[in-house]
Amino acid sequence: MPDIVDTAVNAGSFSTLVAAVKAAGLVDTLKGTGPFTVFAPTDEAFAKLPDGTVDALLKDIPKLKKILTYHVVSGKVMAADVVKLKSATTVEGSDVKIDASNGVKVNDSTVTTPDVATDNGVIHIIDTVLLPA
């Protein structure tokens, strides 16, 4: 089974996320043993950001790393477990808010596809980029 990075590459709808992970130097981390839970924004999610945001982030690696690690939780947290949580602490260090009252929302983002299994964790596909406070 492919790891988180290869799964994202193979899916074809995460080219912005993959480019950001490469730019931030996080490929080796996300190919590591983990396990990791990644809330993965699609290319459409990145497209919702204001014009120029992605280009600016690709030039500000510390900020880019902070945002990307805000999408990662240590451990393999499947949807059945996510729905029991009110929040989760990210690798970045801040918490994301989880609301499972109507589907599953992580902060203001909706999980569109849960439980994409990978060799070193799980991906939950989301429709909005998460931005730490």
Side-chain angles (χ1 to χ4, degrees), residues 94-110:
S94 304
D95 286 357
V96 288
K97 190 177 68 177
I98 297 170
D99 177 0
S101 61
N102 184 15
V104 176
K105 290 185 81 70
V106 180
N107 290 355
D108 295 326
S109 179
T110 300

Side-chain angles (χ1 to χ4, degrees), residues 43-63:
D43 291 337
E44 290 81 10
F46 278 101
K48 288 185 196 176
L49 293 170
D51 285 348
T53 302
V54 173
D55 289 337
L57 288 171
L58 291 173
K59 294 178 182 127
D60 185 348
I61 300 307
K63 187 170 185 181

Side-chain angles (χ1 to χ4, degrees), residues 51-123:
D51 285 348
T53 302
V54 173
D55 289 337
L57 288 171
L58 291 173
K59 294 178 182 127
D60 185 348
I61 300 307
K63 187 170 185 181
L64 180 63
K65 274 188 180 175
K66 181 177 172 87
I67 289 171
L68 291 174
T69 56
Y70 189 65
H71 288 78
V72 182
V73 174
S74 290
K76 184 174 184 177
V77 186
M78 302 302 286
D81 299 314
V82 170
V83 299
K84 298 174 195 165
L85 302 174
K86 297 287 180 218
S87 67
T89 302
T90 67
V91 171
E92 180 267 337
S94 304
D95 286 357
V96 288
K97 190 177 68 177
I98 297 170
D99 177 0
S101 61
N102 184 15
V104 176
K105 290 185 81 70
V106 180
N107 290 355
D108 295 326
S109 179
T110 300
V111 175
T112 56
T113 307
D115 293 347
V116 178
T118 70
D119 189 40
N120 61 344
V122 62
I123 296 172

Side-chain angles (χ1 to χ4, degrees), residues 1 8 10 16 21 26 29 62-63 86 90 96 113 116 121 124 131:
M1 183 181 297
N10 294 341
T16 306
V21 166
L26 295 172
T29 302
K63 187 170 185 181
K86 297 287 180 218
T90 67
V96 288
T113 307
V116 178
H124 301 296
L131 299 171

Side-chain angles (χ1 to χ4, degrees), residues 1-15 18 123:
M1 183 181 297
D3 61 41
I4 288 170
V5 175
D6 291 340
T7 300
V9 168
N10 294 341
S13 54
F14 300 103
S15 56
V18 170
I123 296 172

